[in-house]
Amino acid sequence: MDRIDACIFDLDGVIVDTAKYHYKAWKRLANELGFDFTEEQNELLKGLSRTRSLEIILEIGGVRLSAEEQAVQAARKNEWYVDMIRHMQPDEVLPGAGAFLESLRTAGIKTALGSASKNAGTILERVGLAPLFDVVVDGNAVTASKPDPEVFLKGASALQADPAYCVVFEDAVAGIQAARAGGMKVVGIGAADVLGAADIIVSGLGDMSLQRLKEL
């Protein structure tokens, strides 16, 4: 790409790994509802909203709850999760993420976070990365979950960036589909056999550089 207006990042699995905290909270909820929830099943929740995640978990457990009861259970899970992330430290930033974000800052490339998490701002503050993002678009600002491109399009709009000149960094299939639907280039973070629809695939932001970005 000769022109890059902005880079938009998913949070979990790209910048930090909060999956373990989500998993612990969802597993506790499932156990209290009378069934188990495995790490393998947790993979089904990647990139999804809290509401959709709860729906899937209830399907797994064969549990039916009213909309009001679902709201209560989702809130309980979030309380447990927020309590855990309040104790996060800067050393929980994934390898290379901080350095790559700094390099974008130096190069004058705008940055946004585009995450389904409603606690994204809290997490960035806890790990010390909040100053490296111009915009945070999280689950509080969107109504549609990935693979709908809303979160990425809102990030581009807030940065006054043309989607055609934006690059998204994602570790989930739904996120890559969302970036594609928004007309953006996408870097997959993770396994090539899972994220094949991305423009390029790397193991982590430690493998990214400005030069590699421009080669997209």
Side-chain angles (χ1 to χ4, degrees):
M1 295 176 72
D2 294 328
R3 170 182 162 189
I4 301 172
D5 287 354
C7 289
I8 306 176
F9 297 83
D10 180 39
L11 179 64
D12 191 39
V14 175
I15 303 295
V16 295
D17 181 11
T18 59
K20 58 187 175 184
Y21 301 124
H22 279 296
Y23 174 63
K24 287 179 181 178
W26 283 127
K27 182 177 175 64
R28 177 177 173 181
L29 182 64
N31 291 165
E32 293 199 5
L33 291 173
F35 61 96
D36 199 19
F37 181 60
T38 68
E39 290 188 54
E40 184 178 1
Q41 290 167 332
N42 190 55
E43 290 295 306
L44 299 172
L45 311 186
K46 263 193 172 183
L48 301 182
S49 68
R50 187 187 312 158
T51 301
R52 182 58 189 140
S53 294
L54 177 59
E55 289 172 353
I56 290 173
I57 288 170
L58 294 177
E59 289 168 9
I60 289 170
V63 174
R64 299 183 66 178
L65 298 176
S66 67
E68 293 77 11
E69 290 171 325
Q70 287 187 38
V72 169
Q73 297 301 339
R76 292 179 71 212
K77 178 268 176 182
N78 191 54
E79 286 175 8
W80 300 331
Y81 171 71
V82 170
D83 185 58
M84 287 185 276
I85 64 171
R86 283 198 186 109
H87 299 92
M88 289 183 73
Q89 298 296 319
D91 63 5
E92 293 187 67
V93 174
L94 292 173
F100 183 60
L101 287 164
E102 290 276 11
S103 72
L104 295 176
R105 264 284 188 271
T106 301
I109 297 173
K110 296 175 182 178
T111 55
L113 191 80
S115 171
S117 171
K118 293 187 176 182
N119 302 291
T122 299
I123 292 168
L124 291 181
E125 291 288 349
R126 289 299 308 159
V127 300
L129 293 183
L132 297 180
F133 287 92
D134 297 297
V135 168
V136 173
V137 180
D138 62 14
N140 297 297
V142 296
T143 56
S145 298
K146 302 169 187 176
D148 189 285
E150 181 186 13
V151 68
F152 295 141
L153 291 174
K154 281 196 170 182
S157 177
L159 294 172
Q160 297 183 315
D162 186 329
Y165 301 108
C166 291
V167 180
V168 169
F169 295 81
E170 258 289 354
D171 74 319
V173 172
I176 289 173
Q177 292 171 340
R180 287 286 192 205
M184 304 178 188
K185 293 284 189 179
V186 57
V187 175
I189 308 290
D193 60 336
V194 177
L195 307 177
D199 291 289
I200 62 169
I201 300 168
V202 296
S203 62
L205 292 180
D207 291 334
M208 283 302 299
S209 64
L210 288 175
Q211 182 58 40
R212 194 160 190 187
L213 193 61
K214 291 173 182 176
E215 290 171 356
L216 278 170

